[in-house]
Amino acid sequence: MNVGALGTRRMLLNARSTVTHYKQLRETIARLEAEAARKESALREALLQARSAAEGGDAATARASELAEQLRAERERSAGLQLALDEQAECTLAEAARGESWREHALAFAHDLEAVQERQHALAEAQRSIAEESHRSIQSLLRRQNDYYQRAHNPSKLLGTFADYERHRPQSYDF
């Protein structure tokens, strides 16, 4: 899959860090929501105490207002984290799509490479066959040239060669 290439490895590492960051954001949101629920529960309890205690009503109201403000701030922070989480999810999906695209390109390249290797193998076989045929032809020519040389320098073989020629002479020529 060409993971050794710098760009592909960088994309995979970015995707991995995005997934890790995504998980951390989910855990943070879950913790914040639990904290918000706890604070909301505390706010309700404070409101009940404020209603039940007439003398300490001002202090309870102030505490309830403080808790309500904290709850509002936590909800805003949670909404911001949710937005960041959604953005990270979109980035993760985009990285996954790009990874799939690279995978498809790698598979197509591998298929093309196999076809090229098969063609190269066929060409090598054809070249080997041509080389063997050329070698046989050259060997035959060298043997004939050697025979002609032997006959030209050996008169007794030359006479035998002429007699052989007469015996095997084509009938269409008239000498």
Side-chain angles (χ1 to χ4, degrees):
M1 287 181 44
N2 201 16
V3 173
L6 183 60
T8 304
R9 190 168 42 197
R10 188 176 293 144
M11 284 191 300
L12 289 173
L13 289 174
N14 285 342
R16 181 177 177 202
S17 67
T18 300
V19 168
T20 304
H21 188 71
Y22 182 79
K23 286 179 182 178
Q24 290 173 349
L25 288 176
R26 280 243 185 248
E27 292 172 0
T28 303
I29 287 174
R31 185 177 43 81
L32 289 176
E33 286 177 350
E35 198 174 308
R38 185 186 52 79
K39 287 185 180 183
E40 190 171 318
S41 175
L43 177 63
R44 284 187 195 133
E45 185 179 320
L47 286 174
L48 289 174
Q49 288 176 359
R51 287 181 190 152
S52 65
E55 294 177 355
D58 291 339
T61 303
R63 178 72 180 140
S65 296
E66 182 181 308
L67 287 174
E69 183 62 31
Q70 287 178 357
L71 179 63
R72 186 192 59 75
E74 287 298 322
R75 283 185 177 159
E76 287 176 5
R77 187 171 146 209
S78 176
L81 287 174
Q82 183 64 40
L83 182 64
L85 182 64
D86 291 343
E87 289 174 359
Q88 286 297 323
E90 288 176 18
C91 288
T92 300
L93 291 175
E95 287 294 325
R98 284 189 8 207
E100 184 63 28
S101 173
W102 279 103
R103 182 178 179 277
E104 290 172 5
H105 288 298
L107 289 174
F109 179 75
H111 182 274
D112 291 345
L113 184 61
E114 286 175 3
V116 166
Q117 285 176 338
E118 287 174 6
R119 184 145 188 229
Q120 189 176 25
H121 180 70
L123 288 173
E125 283 296 316
Q127 285 177 340
R128 186 185 59 78
S129 175
I130 290 170
E132 287 174 355
E133 183 64 31
S134 296
H135 179 72
R136 282 192 296 272
S137 295
I138 290 171
Q139 290 297 323
S140 174
L141 286 172
L142 287 174
R143 277 192 301 274
R144 278 192 268 154
Q145 183 182 11
N146 193 21
D147 287 346
Y148 290 138
Y149 180 77
Q150 292 286 333
R151 289 178 185 165
H153 287 84
N154 191 347
S156 64
K157 285 198 174 205
L158 186 60
L159 290 175
T161 304
F162 184 71
D164 286 341
Y165 174 75
E166 285 296 319
R167 225 183 355 221
H168 298 294
R169 175 171 65 92
Q171 300 298 322
S172 61
Y173 299 117
D174 194 15
F175 289 108

